[in-house]
Amino acid sequence: MKKAYCLMNHPLTPKQETELKERYNSKIIIYPEKELSAKWSQIPATTELDLSIIKDVVSWLSESAEGDVLIVQGEAGSTFMIADYALKHHLVPLYAVTKRVETEEIEGETVKRYYVFEHVCFRSYEYYSMKED
């Protein structure tokens, strides 16, 4: 049975869990421990990426098997590195595709905008060269 590793800044929604089970046959969802999750959600905004965080994520993924799913979203550079790792180690790296629903309220001279992000589907990270004819 395939497992799904979830490396995001929030837990999966019920709709996302259902998609993993039905579309990707992943019935076991694995989240990182609290410490790693906290590191992933607060990657420092510095000129150089702290590679120790990437190494910690790779260590967390060490028990994954070929064909397991990895949902990964977060800081762009770190996400790129982990998606690259996943592709090279025959995991299925995914990201959530969302629809943004905007509402606006006008109260006198104040305009308030609210955004709700609704899950549409998961999409696979792929190398551009995989799409060339």
Side-chain angles (χ1 to χ4, degrees), residues 5 7 14 17 33 37 42 52 70 74 80 84 89-90 93 97 101 107 110 115 119:
Y5 290 80
L7 189 60
E17 290 180 3
E33 292 183 11
S37 184
Q42 292 297 322
S52 70
L70 169 63
F80 173 81
D84 178 65
H89 288 83
H90 308 288
V97 176
V101 179
E107 296 175 3
T110 304
Y115 299 98
H119 179 74

Side-chain angles (χ1 to χ4, degrees), residues 24-92:
Y24 296 95
N25 197 30
S26 295
K27 300 191 181 355
I28 299 170
I29 299 170
I30 300 169
Y31 291 94
E33 292 183 11
K34 226 178 228 187
E35 184 179 322
L36 180 56
S37 184
K39 285 181 183 179
W40 183 257
S41 66
Q42 292 297 322
I43 292 179
T46 57
T47 56
E48 296 295 321
L49 181 61
D50 180 357
L51 292 179
S52 70
I53 297 169
I54 303 302
K55 290 176 184 176
D56 289 347
V57 171
V58 168
S59 177
W60 172 65
L61 293 171
S62 66
E63 294 187 24
S64 63
E66 186 173 326
D68 282 347
V69 168
L70 169 63
I71 302 104
V72 57
Q73 289 185 200
E75 188 272 335
S78 301
T79 298
F80 173 81
M81 285 186 175
I82 295 302
D84 178 65
Y85 170 87
L87 286 165
K88 289 177 178 171
H89 288 83
H90 308 288
L91 301 175
V92 180

Side-chain angles (χ1 to χ4, degrees), residues 103-114:
T103 58
E104 186 175 281
E105 294 177 7
I106 299 174
E107 296 175 3
E109 294 301 312
T110 304
V111 177
K112 296 180 183 179
R113 285 192 179 155
Y114 301 94

